[in-house]
PDB file of all heavy atoms in Angstrom:
ATOM      1  N   THR W   1    -101.982 -72.022-119.464  1.00  0.00           N
ATOM      2  CA  THR W   1    -103.386 -71.906-119.827  1.00  0.00           C
ATOM      3  C   THR W   1    -103.553 -71.979-121.344  1.00  0.00           C
ATOM      4  O   THR W   1    -102.632 -71.647-122.102  1.00  0.00           O
ATOM      5  CB  THR W   1    -104.000 -70.580-119.324  1.00  0.00           C
ATOM      6  OG1 THR W   1    -103.357 -69.502-119.981  1.00  0.00           O
ATOM      7  CG2 THR W   1    -103.888 -70.460-117.811  1.00  0.00           C
ATOM      8  N   PHE W   2    -104.724 -72.387-121.733  1.00  0.00           N
ATOM      9  CA  PHE W   2    -105.101 -72.427-123.145  1.00  0.00           C
ATOM     10  C   PHE W   2    -104.955 -71.030-123.754  1.00  0.00           C
ATOM     11  O   PHE W   2    -104.400 -70.872-124.845  1.00  0.00           O
ATOM     12  CB  PHE W   2    -106.537 -72.950-123.246  1.00  0.00           C
ATOM     13  CG  PHE W   2    -107.150 -72.868-124.601  1.00  0.00           C
ATOM     14  CD1 PHE W   2    -106.696 -73.660-125.633  1.00  0.00           C
ATOM     15  CD2 PHE W   2    -108.204 -72.003-124.842  1.00  0.00           C
ATOM     16  CE1 PHE W   2    -107.277 -73.598-126.891  1.00  0.00           C
ATOM     17  CE2 PHE W   2    -108.799 -71.937-126.089  1.00  0.00           C
ATOM     18  CZ  PHE W   2    -108.326 -72.736-127.118  1.00  0.00           C
ATOM     19  N   SER W   3    -105.418 -70.021-123.032  1.00  0.00           N
ATOM     20  CA  SER W   3    -105.356 -68.633-123.522  1.00  0.00           C
ATOM     21  C   SER W   3    -103.925 -68.195-123.779  1.00  0.00           C
ATOM     22  O   SER W   3    -103.630 -67.587-124.814  1.00  0.00           O
ATOM     23  CB  SER W   3    -105.993 -67.681-122.510  1.00  0.00           C
ATOM     24  OG  SER W   3    -107.339 -67.997-122.311  1.00  0.00           O
ATOM     25  N   SER W   4    -103.037 -68.482-122.849  1.00  0.00           N
ATOM     26  CA  SER W   4    -101.646 -68.050-123.020  1.00  0.00           C
ATOM     27  C   SER W   4    -100.987 -68.753-124.201  1.00  0.00           C
ATOM     28  O   SER W   4    -100.158 -68.160-124.905  1.00  0.00           O
ATOM     29  CB  SER W   4    -100.843 -68.269-121.737  1.00  0.00           C
ATOM     30  OG  SER W   4    -100.723 -69.635-121.442  1.00  0.00           O
ATOM     31  N   GLU W   5    -101.378 -69.985-124.454  1.00  0.00           N
ATOM     32  CA  GLU W   5    -100.817 -70.709-125.602  1.00  0.00           C
ATOM     33  C   GLU W   5    -101.340 -70.152-126.925  1.00  0.00           C
ATOM     34  O   GLU W   5    -100.605 -70.083-127.901  1.00  0.00           O
ATOM     35  CB  GLU W   5    -101.089 -72.207-125.496  1.00  0.00           C
ATOM     36  CG  GLU W   5    -100.305 -72.893-124.409  1.00  0.00           C
ATOM     37  CD  GLU W   5     -98.797 -72.824-124.582  1.00  0.00           C
ATOM     38  OE1 GLU W   5     -98.301 -72.734-125.734  1.00  0.00           O
ATOM     39  OE2 GLU W   5     -98.094 -72.859-123.557  1.00  0.00           O
ATOM     40  N   LEU W   6    -102.613 -69.757-126.956  1.00  0.00           N
ATOM     41  CA  LEU W   6    -103.144 -69.129-128.168  1.00  0.00           C
ATOM     42  C   LEU W   6    -102.360 -67.865-128.496  1.00  0.00           C
ATOM     43  O   LEU W   6    -102.004 -67.612-129.653  1.00  0.00           O
ATOM     44  CB  LEU W   6    -104.625 -68.770-127.995  1.00  0.00           C
ATOM     45  CG  LEU W   6    -105.624 -69.909-128.009  1.00  0.00           C
ATOM     46  CD1 LEU W   6    -107.011 -69.388-127.659  1.00  0.00           C
ATOM     47  CD2 LEU W   6    -105.644 -70.596-129.367  1.00  0.00           C
ATOM     48  N   LEU W   7    -102.087 -67.061-127.470  1.00  0.00           N
ATOM     49  CA  LEU W   7    -101.329 -65.827-127.667  1.00  0.00           C
ATOM     50  C   LEU W   7     -99.888 -66.130-128.077  1.00  0.00           C
ATOM     51  O   LEU W   7     -99.339 -65.471-128.963  1.00  0.00           O
ATOM     52  CB  LEU W   7    -101.363 -64.971-126.399  1.00  0.00           C
ATOM     53  CG  LEU W   7    -102.719 -64.369-126.048  1.00  0.00           C
ATOM     54  CD1 LEU W   7    -102.672 -63.725-124.667  1.00  0.00           C
ATOM     55  CD2 LEU W   7    -103.164 -63.365-127.101  1.00  0.00           C
ATOM     56  N   ALA W   8     -99.279 -67.133-127.435  1.00  0.00           N
ATOM     57  CA  ALA W   8     -97.896 -67.498-127.753  1.00  0.00           C
ATOM     58  C   ALA W   8     -97.759 -67.984-129.195  1.00  0.00           C
ATOM     59  O   ALA W   8     -96.758 -67.702-129.857  1.00  0.00           O
ATOM     60  CB  ALA W   8     -97.396 -68.559-126.783  1.00  0.00           C
ATOM     61  N   LEU W   9     -98.777 -68.679-129.671  1.00  0.00           N
ATOM     62  CA  LEU W   9     -98.769 -69.158-131.057  1.00  0.00           C
ATOM     63  C   LEU W   9     -99.037 -68.035-132.048  1.00  0.00           C
ATOM     64  O   LEU W   9     -98.788 -68.185-133.245  1.00  0.00           O
ATOM     65  CB  LEU W   9     -99.813 -70.265-131.244  1.00  0.00           C
ATOM     66  CG  LEU W   9     -99.525 -71.595-130.573  1.00  0.00           C
ATOM     67  CD1 LEU W   9    -100.763 -72.491-130.611  1.00  0.00           C
ATOM     68  CD2 LEU W   9     -98.344 -72.281-131.245  1.00  0.00           C
ATOM     69  N   GLY W  10     -99.584 -66.927-131.562  1.00  0.00           N
ATOM     70  CA  GLY W  10     -99.884 -65.787-132.433  1.00  0.00           C
ATOM     71  C   GLY W  10    -101.097 -66.007-133.314  1.00  0.00           C
ATOM     72  O   GLY W  10    -101.223 -65.382-134.363  1.00  0.00           O
ATOM     73  N   VAL W  11    -102.004 -66.896-132.891  1.00  0.00           N
ATOM     74  CA  VAL W  11    -103.170 -67.211-133.721  1.00  0.00           C
ATOM     75  C   VAL W  11    -104.388 -66.349-133.386  1.00  0.00           C
ATOM     76  O   VAL W  11    -105.403 -66.417-134.078  1.00  0.00           O
ATOM     77  CB  VAL W  11    -103.538 -68.715-133.638  1.00  0.00           C
ATOM     78  CG1 VAL W  11    -102.404 -69.556-134.203  1.00  0.00           C
ATOM     79  CG2 VAL W  11    -103.859 -69.130-132.219  1.00  0.00           C
ATOM     80  N   ILE W  12    -104.276 -65.545-132.331  1.00  0.00           N
ATOM     81  CA  ILE W  12    -105.348 -64.621-131.956  1.00  0.00           C
ATOM     82  C   ILE W  12    -104.684 -63.433-131.262  1.00  0.00           C
ATOM     83  O   ILE W  12    -103.647 -63.590-130.619  1.00  0.00           O
ATOM     84  CB  ILE W  12    -106.386 -65.304-131.033  1.00  0.00           C
ATOM     85  CG1 ILE W  12    -107.654 -64.459-130.897  1.00  0.00           C
ATOM     86  CG2 ILE W  12    -105.803 -65.659-129.690  1.00  0.00           C
ATOM     87  CD1 ILE W  12    -108.811 -65.183-130.231  1.00  0.00           C
ATOM     88  N   ASN W  13    -105.271 -62.255-131.428  1.00  0.00           N
ATOM     89  CA  ASN W  13    -104.673 -61.100-130.754  1.00  0.00           C
ATOM     90  C   ASN W  13    -105.298 -60.920-129.374  1.00  0.00           C
ATOM     91  O   ASN W  13    -106.366 -61.461-129.080  1.00  0.00           O
ATOM     92  CB  ASN W  13    -104.766 -59.830-131.607  1.00  0.00           C
ATOM     93  CG  ASN W  13    -106.177 -59.333-131.787  1.00  0.00           C
ATOM     94  OD1 ASN W  13    -106.926 -59.185-130.830  1.00  0.00           O
ATOM     95  ND2 ASN W  13    -106.547 -59.046-133.027  1.00  0.00           N
ATOM     96  N   GLY W  14    -104.615 -60.194-128.532  1.00  0.00           N
ATOM     97  CA  GLY W  14    -105.037 -60.008-127.148  1.00  0.00           C
ATOM     98  C   GLY W  14    -106.405 -59.376-127.001  1.00  0.00           C
ATOM     99  O   GLY W  14    -107.174 -59.741-126.109  1.00  0.00           O
ATOM    100  N   MET W  15    -106.734 -58.426-127.872  1.00  0.00           N
ATOM    101  CA  MET W  15    -108.024 -57.741-127.791  1.00  0.00           C
ATOM    102  C   MET W  15    -109.169 -58.707-128.089  1.00  0.00           C
ATOM    103  O   MET W  15    -110.159 -58.739-127.360  1.00  0.00           O
ATOM    104  CB  MET W  15    -108.056 -56.566-128.767  1.00  0.00           C
ATOM    105  CG  MET W  15    -109.256 -55.681-128.610  1.00  0.00           C
ATOM    106  SD  MET W  15    -109.246 -54.698-127.102  1.00  0.00           S
ATOM    107  CE  MET W  15    -107.963 -53.535-127.470  1.00  0.00           C
ATOM    108  N   ASP W  16    -109.032 -59.495-129.145  1.00  0.00           N
ATOM    109  CA  ASP W  16    -110.077 -60.470-129.479  1.00  0.00           C
ATOM    110  C   ASP W  16    -110.231 -61.507-128.375  1.00  0.00           C
ATOM    111  O   ASP W  16    -111.349 -61.878-128.006  1.00  0.00           O
ATOM    112  CB  ASP W  16    -109.780 -61.172-130.808  1.00  0.00           C
ATOM    113  CG  ASP W  16    -109.979 -60.274-132.015  1.00  0.00           C
ATOM    114  OD1 ASP W  16    -110.726 -59.282-131.912  1.00  0.00           O
ATOM    115  OD2 ASP W  16    -109.384 -60.569-133.069  1.00  0.00           O
ATOM    116  N   LEU W  17    -109.110 -61.964-127.841  1.00  0.00           N
ATOM    117  CA  LEU W  17    -109.159 -62.950-126.766  1.00  0.00           C
ATOM    118  C   LEU W  17    -109.830 -62.366-125.527  1.00  0.00           C
ATOM    119  O   LEU W  17    -110.667 -63.021-124.905  1.00  0.00           O
ATOM    120  CB  LEU W  17    -107.756 -63.452-126.430  1.00  0.00           C
ATOM    121  CG  LEU W  17    -107.666 -64.527-125.354  1.00  0.00           C
ATOM    122  CD1 LEU W  17    -108.466 -65.767-125.750  1.00  0.00           C
ATOM    123  CD2 LEU W  17    -106.221 -64.892-125.093  1.00  0.00           C
ATOM    124  N   SER W  18    -109.509 -61.137-125.196  1.00  0.00           N
ATOM    125  CA  SER W  18    -110.131 -60.480-124.037  1.00  0.00           C
ATOM    126  C   SER W  18    -111.640 -60.337-124.218  1.00  0.00           C
ATOM    127  O   SER W  18    -112.404 -60.532-123.271  1.00  0.00           O
ATOM    128  CB  SER W  18    -109.513 -59.105-123.803  1.00  0.00           C
ATOM    129  OG  SER W  18    -108.169 -59.234-123.427  1.00  0.00           O
ATOM    130  N   ARG W  19    -112.063 -59.999-125.422  1.00  0.00           N
ATOM    131  CA  ARG W  19    -113.503 -59.891-125.705  1.00  0.00           C
ATOM    132  C   ARG W  19    -114.207 -61.234-125.485  1.00  0.00           C
ATOM    133  O   ARG W  19    -115.278 -61.300-124.885  1.00  0.00           O
ATOM    134  CB  ARG W  19    -113.736 -59.425-127.136  1.00  0.00           C
ATOM    135  CG  ARG W  19    -113.570 -57.969-127.343  1.00  0.00           C
ATOM    136  CD  ARG W  19    -114.061 -57.565-128.741  1.00  0.00           C
ATOM    137  NE  ARG W  19    -114.002 -56.133-128.872  1.00  0.00           N
ATOM    138  CZ  ARG W  19    -113.028 -55.469-129.478  1.00  0.00           C
ATOM    139  NH1 ARG W  19    -112.035 -56.132-130.030  1.00  0.00           N
ATOM    140  NH2 ARG W  19    -113.041 -54.160-129.540  1.00  0.00           N
ATOM    141  N   LEU W  20    -113.600 -62.302-125.989  1.00  0.00           N
ATOM    142  CA  LEU W  20    -114.190 -63.632-125.843  1.00  0.00           C
ATOM    143  C   LEU W  20    -114.187 -64.083-124.387  1.00  0.00           C
ATOM    144  O   LEU W  20    -115.161 -64.677-123.910  1.00  0.00           O
ATOM    145  CB  LEU W  20    -113.453 -64.637-126.727  1.00  0.00           C
ATOM    146  CG  LEU W  20    -113.623 -64.435-128.232  1.00  0.00           C
ATOM    147  CD1 LEU W  20    -112.647 -65.296-129.007  1.00  0.00           C
ATOM    148  CD2 LEU W  20    -115.047 -64.715-128.664  1.00  0.00           C
ATOM    149  N   GLU W  21    -113.111 -63.794-123.660  1.00  0.00           N
ATOM    150  CA  GLU W  21    -113.055 -64.153-122.243  1.00  0.00           C
ATOM    151  C   GLU W  21    -114.129 -63.414-121.456  1.00  0.00           C
ATOM    152  O   GLU W  21    -114.790 -64.003-120.590  1.00  0.00           O
ATOM    153  CB  GLU W  21    -111.671 -63.847-121.673  1.00  0.00           C
ATOM    154  CG  GLU W  21    -110.606 -64.801-122.154  1.00  0.00           C
ATOM    155  CD  GLU W  21    -109.204 -64.432-121.703  1.00  0.00           C
ATOM    156  OE1 GLU W  21    -108.948 -63.255-121.374  1.00  0.00           O
ATOM    157  OE2 GLU W  21    -108.354 -65.330-121.681  1.00  0.00           O
ATOM    158  N   ALA W  22    -114.331 -62.144-121.767  1.00  0.00           N
ATOM    159  CA  ALA W  22    -115.376 -61.370-121.090  1.00  0.00           C
ATOM    160  C   ALA W  22    -116.749 -61.974-121.370  1.00  0.00           C
ATOM    161  O   ALA W  22    -117.596 -62.067-120.473  1.00  0.00           O
ATOM    162  CB  ALA W  22    -115.330 -59.911-121.540  1.00  0.00           C
ATOM    163  N   GLN W  23    -116.962 -62.398-122.599  1.00  0.00           N
ATOM    164  CA  GLN W  23    -118.237 -63.016-122.960  1.00  0.00           C
ATOM    165  C   GLN W  23    -118.454 -64.303-122.162  1.00  0.00           C
ATOM    166  O   GLN W  23    -119.553 -64.542-121.657  1.00  0.00           O
ATOM    167  CB  GLN W  23    -118.277 -63.299-124.459  1.00  0.00           C
ATOM    168  CG  GLN W  23    -119.627 -63.721-124.953  1.00  0.00           C
ATOM    169  CD  GLN W  23    -119.674 -63.807-126.466  1.00  0.00           C
ATOM    170  OE1 GLN W  23    -118.802 -63.319-127.174  1.00  0.00           O
ATOM    171  NE2 GLN W  23    -120.704 -64.441-126.983  1.00  0.00           N
ATOM    172  N   VAL W  24    -117.418 -65.124-122.043  1.00  0.00           N
ATOM    173  CA  VAL W  24    -117.524 -66.370-121.275  1.00  0.00           C
ATOM    174  C   VAL W  24    -117.828 -66.071-119.806  1.00  0.00           C
ATOM    175  O   VAL W  24    -118.630 -66.755-119.169  1.00  0.00           O
ATOM    176  CB  VAL W  24    -116.230 -67.210-121.403  1.00  0.00           C
ATOM    177  CG1 VAL W  24    -116.213 -68.353-120.406  1.00  0.00           C
ATOM    178  CG2 VAL W  24    -116.093 -67.749-122.816  1.00  0.00           C
ATOM    179  N   LEU W  25    -117.189 -65.030-119.272  1.00  0.00           N
ATOM    180  CA  LEU W  25    -117.387 -64.665-117.868  1.00  0.00           C
ATOM    181  C   LEU W  25    -118.697 -63.919-117.623  1.00  0.00           C
ATOM    182  O   LEU W  25    -119.101 -63.736-116.482  1.00  0.00           O
ATOM    183  CB  LEU W  25    -116.210 -63.806-117.382  1.00  0.00           C
ATOM    184  CG  LEU W  25    -114.875 -64.535-117.281  1.00  0.00           C
ATOM    185  CD1 LEU W  25    -113.751 -63.542-117.047  1.00  0.00           C
ATOM    186  CD2 LEU W  25    -114.911 -65.580-116.175  1.00  0.00           C
ATOM    187  N   GLY W  26    -119.346 -63.483-118.696  1.00  0.00           N
ATOM    188  CA  GLY W  26    -120.610 -62.774-118.561  1.00  0.00           C
ATOM    189  C   GLY W  26    -120.442 -61.348-118.064  1.00  0.00           C
ATOM    190  O   GLY W  26    -121.319 -60.816-117.387  1.00  0.00           O
ATOM    191  N   ILE W  27    -119.304 -60.743-118.408  1.00  0.00           N
ATOM    192  CA  ILE W  27    -119.066 -59.359-118.010  1.00  0.00           C
ATOM    193  C   ILE W  27    -118.879 -58.508-119.261  1.00  0.00           C
ATOM    194  O   ILE W  27    -118.438 -59.004-120.298  1.00  0.00           O
ATOM    195  CB  ILE W  27    -117.836 -59.231-117.081  1.00  0.00           C
ATOM    196  CG1 ILE W  27    -116.583 -59.790-117.757  1.00  0.00           C
ATOM    197  CG2 ILE W  27    -118.083 -59.920-115.756  1.00  0.00           C
ATOM    198  CD1 ILE W  27    -115.299 -59.602-116.964  1.00  0.00           C
ATOM    199  N   PRO W  28    -119.209 -57.225-119.182  1.00  0.00           N
ATOM    200  CA  PRO W  28    -119.034 -56.382-120.359  1.00  0.00           C
ATOM    201  C   PRO W  28    -117.555 -56.130-120.643  1.00  0.00           C
ATOM    202  O   PRO W  28    -116.745 -56.041-119.726  1.00  0.00           O
ATOM    203  CB  PRO W  28    -119.745 -55.081-119.992  1.00  0.00           C
ATOM    204  CG  PRO W  28    -119.890 -55.102-118.523  1.00  0.00           C
ATOM    205  CD  PRO W  28    -119.830 -56.520-118.068  1.00  0.00           C
ATOM    206  N   PHE W  29    -117.224 -56.043-121.901  1.00  0.00           N
ATOM    207  CA  PHE W  29    -115.870 -55.713-122.319  1.00  0.00           C
ATOM    208  C   PHE W  29    -115.830 -54.235-122.643  1.00  0.00           C
ATOM    209  O   PHE W  29    -116.653 -53.733-123.402  1.00  0.00           O
ATOM    210  CB  PHE W  29    -115.461 -56.522-123.550  1.00  0.00           C
ATOM    211  CG  PHE W  29    -114.106 -56.153-124.069  1.00  0.00           C
ATOM    212  CD1 PHE W  29    -112.973 -56.677-123.483  1.00  0.00           C
ATOM    213  CD2 PHE W  29    -113.965 -55.267-125.123  1.00  0.00           C
ATOM    214  CE1 PHE W  29    -111.716 -56.330-123.937  1.00  0.00           C
ATOM    215  CE2 PHE W  29    -112.717 -54.916-125.583  1.00  0.00           C
ATOM    216  CZ  PHE W  29    -111.590 -55.449-124.994  1.00  0.00           C
ATOM    217  N   VAL W  30    -114.864 -53.537-122.077  1.00  0.00           N
ATOM    218  CA  VAL W  30    -114.718 -52.102-122.325  1.00  0.00           C
ATOM    219  C   VAL W  30    -113.302 -51.848-122.811  1.00  0.00           C
ATOM    220  O   VAL W  30    -112.337 -52.190-122.138  1.00  0.00           O
ATOM    221  CB  VAL W  30    -114.985 -51.285-121.039  1.00  0.00           C
ATOM    222  CG1 VAL W  30    -114.812 -49.805-121.302  1.00  0.00           C
ATOM    223  CG2 VAL W  30    -116.373 -51.581-120.498  1.00  0.00           C
ATOM    224  N   ASP W  31    -113.191 -51.263-123.980  1.00  0.00           N
ATOM    225  CA  ASP W  31    -111.899 -50.921-124.550  1.00  0.00           C
ATOM    226  C   ASP W  31    -111.564 -49.482-124.175  1.00  0.00           C
ATOM    227  O   ASP W  31    -112.219 -48.543-124.616  1.00  0.00           O
ATOM    228  CB  ASP W  31    -111.959 -51.069-126.069  1.00  0.00           C
ATOM    229  CG  ASP W  31    -110.658 -50.727-126.760  1.00  0.00           C
ATOM    230  OD1 ASP W  31    -109.651 -50.461-126.068  1.00  0.00           O
ATOM    231  OD2 ASP W  31    -110.646 -50.721-128.003  1.00  0.00           O
ATOM    232  N   LEU W  32    -110.552 -49.314-123.349  1.00  0.00           N
ATOM    233  CA  LEU W  32    -110.164 -47.987-122.882  1.00  0.00           C
ATOM    234  C   LEU W  32    -108.927 -47.450-123.598  1.00  0.00           C
ATOM    235  O   LEU W  32    -108.382 -46.431-123.185  1.00  0.00           O
ATOM    236  CB  LEU W  32    -109.897 -48.015-121.369  1.00  0.00           C
ATOM    237  CG  LEU W  32    -111.083 -48.376-120.487  1.00  0.00           C
ATOM    238  CD1 LEU W  32    -110.649 -48.473-119.025  1.00  0.00           C
ATOM    239  CD2 LEU W  32    -112.202 -47.368-120.646  1.00  0.00           C
ATOM    240  N   THR W  33    -108.510 -48.108-124.657  1.00  0.00           N
ATOM    241  CA  THR W  33    -107.272 -47.707-125.318  1.00  0.00           C
ATOM    242  C   THR W  33    -107.340 -46.297-125.901  1.00  0.00           C
ATOM    243  O   THR W  33    -106.307 -45.652-126.031  1.00  0.00           O
ATOM    244  CB  THR W  33    -106.876 -48.693-126.431  1.00  0.00           C
ATOM    245  OG1 THR W  33    -107.954 -48.829-127.351  1.00  0.00           O
ATOM    246  CG2 THR W  33    -106.505 -50.041-125.856  1.00  0.00           C
ATOM    247  N   HIS W  34    -108.518 -45.832-126.238  1.00  0.00           N
ATOM    248  CA  HIS W  34    -108.641 -44.495-126.827  1.00  0.00           C
ATOM    249  C   HIS W  34    -109.259 -43.490-125.860  1.00  0.00           C
ATOM    250  O   HIS W  34    -109.675 -42.411-126.272  1.00  0.00           O
ATOM    251  CB  HIS W  34    -109.468 -44.557-128.114  1.00  0.00           C
ATOM    252  CG  HIS W  34    -108.872 -45.470-129.143  1.00  0.00           C
ATOM    253  ND1 HIS W  34    -107.679 -45.215-129.782  1.00  0.00           N
ATOM    254  CD2 HIS W  34    -109.277 -46.667-129.619  1.00  0.00           C
ATOM    255  CE1 HIS W  34    -107.393 -46.193-130.612  1.00  0.00           C
ATOM    256  NE2 HIS W  34    -108.353 -47.097-130.527  1.00  0.00           N
ATOM    257  N   GLU W  35    -109.315 -43.836-124.603  1.00  0.00           N
ATOM    258  CA  GLU W  35    -109.894 -42.957-123.588  1.00  0.00           C
ATOM    259  C   GLU W  35    -108.792 -42.305-122.769  1.00  0.00           C
ATOM    260  O   GLU W  35    -107.793 -42.935-122.445  1.00  0.00           O
ATOM    261  CB  GLU W  35    -110.815 -43.744-122.658  1.00  0.00           C
ATOM    262  CG  GLU W  35    -111.987 -44.411-123.337  1.00  0.00           C
ATOM    263  CD  GLU W  35    -112.941 -43.438-123.993  1.00  0.00           C
ATOM    264  OE1 GLU W  35    -113.195 -42.368-123.397  1.00  0.00           O
ATOM    265  OE2 GLU W  35    -113.424 -43.748-125.088  1.00  0.00           O
ATOM    266  N   LYS W  36    -108.997 -41.048-122.440  1.00  0.00           N
ATOM    267  CA  LYS W  36    -108.060 -40.351-121.563  1.00  0.00           C
ATOM    268  C   LYS W  36    -108.615 -40.460-120.143  1.00  0.00           C
ATOM    269  O   LYS W  36    -109.725 -40.023-119.867  1.00  0.00           O
ATOM    270  CB  LYS W  36    -107.922 -38.892-121.977  1.00  0.00           C
ATOM    271  CG  LYS W  36    -106.928 -38.157-121.127  1.00  0.00           C
ATOM    272  CD  LYS W  36    -106.658 -36.773-121.668  1.00  0.00           C
ATOM    273  CE  LYS W  36    -105.825 -36.029-120.682  1.00  0.00           C
ATOM    274  NZ  LYS W  36    -104.477 -35.824-121.066  1.00  0.00           N
ATOM    275  N   ILE W  37    -107.820 -41.035-119.265  1.00  0.00           N
ATOM    276  CA  ILE W  37    -108.243 -41.247-117.884  1.00  0.00           C
ATOM    277  C   ILE W  37    -107.538 -40.208-117.018  1.00  0.00           C
ATOM    278  O   ILE W  37    -106.318 -40.062-117.063  1.00  0.00           O
ATOM    279  CB  ILE W  37    -107.932 -42.671-117.415  1.00  0.00           C
ATOM    280  CG1 ILE W  37    -108.649 -43.674-118.325  1.00  0.00           C
ATOM    281  CG2 ILE W  37    -108.335 -42.878-115.955  1.00  0.00           C
ATOM    282  CD1 ILE W  37    -108.277 -45.112-118.100  1.00  0.00           C
ATOM    283  N   ASP W  38    -108.335 -39.494-116.234  1.00  0.00           N
ATOM    284  CA  ASP W  38    -107.803 -38.450-115.374  1.00  0.00           C
ATOM    285  C   ASP W  38    -106.757 -38.998-114.416  1.00  0.00           C
ATOM    286  O   ASP W  38    -106.930 -40.065-113.835  1.00  0.00           O
ATOM    287  CB  ASP W  38    -108.960 -37.816-114.586  1.00  0.00           C
ATOM    288  CG  ASP W  38    -108.517 -36.584-113.826  1.00  0.00           C
ATOM    289  OD1 ASP W  38    -108.042 -36.740-112.690  1.00  0.00           O
ATOM    290  OD2 ASP W  38    -108.637 -35.474-114.396  1.00  0.00           O
TER     291      ASP W  38
END
């Protein structure tokens, strides 16, 4: 995939790519990295 190649090249980070993919899909992006999940 185009996305996997961007990541492999190191030209974009995973978080930015995920945000853009969510925007294309029309779904909200939620960053849970700083959330404690029960």
Side-chain angles (χ1 to χ4, degrees):
T1 64
F2 171 69
S3 299
S4 66
E5 290 298 332
L6 287 173
L7 291 171
L9 290 169
V11 296
I12 193 169
N13 68 50
M15 189 70 71
D16 288 337
L17 182 59
S18 294
R19 281 190 175 99
L20 292 169
E21 288 175 338
Q23 190 172 346
V24 169
L25 292 169
I27 57 175
F29 176 82
V30 179
D31 180 5
L32 297 176
T33 55
H34 301 293
E35 300 298 320
K36 182 172 172 108
I37 301 172
D38 189 273

